[in-house]
Amino acid sequence: IWKGTYYCSQGETGVTLELYKYGNNSKTEFYGTFEFYPITSASNALYGKYSVKGHIVGNNIIIKPNEWIIGRV
């Protein structure tokens, strides 16, 4: 689980990224959720959450959106 912020057209936005590996033998494939939300009451950020899938290639983590769980931008 990683929590932080990022900047986009909505301004500074909070994010929680949760990743879980596939099965017991996988060292490179994972699934999870990407959740974004306003971090202050003055924020223009929307709230949303979608599932993600991905894999590791060398030192790079490739994360791809899968489907919306809550919200839609």
Side-chain angles (χ1 to χ4, degrees):
I1 298 174
W2 179 83
K3 292 184 179 190
T5 61
Y6 69 101
Y7 289 89
C8 64
S9 61
Q10 303 180 123
E12 188 174 16
T13 304
V15 62
T16 299
L17 178 63
E18 295 186 36
L19 301 177
Y20 306 94
K21 68 180 182 173
Y22 281 126
N24 293 329
N25 297 323
S26 178
K27 294 181 181 178
T28 62
E29 294 182 326
F30 57 84
Y31 68 96
T33 58
F34 183 94
E35 182 176 10
F36 56 93
Y37 42 85
I39 57 171
T40 67
S41 59
S43 174
N44 289 329
L46 300 175
Y47 175 82
K49 184 176 185 178
Y50 56 90
S51 63
V52 296
K53 290 183 178 181
H55 59 279
I56 299 170
V57 178
N59 291 327
N60 297 309
I61 298 174
I62 311 300
I63 301 173
K64 296 182 178 183
N66 190 37
E67 62 185 1
W68 285 101
I69 297 170
I70 299 171
R72 191 173 205 118
V73 177

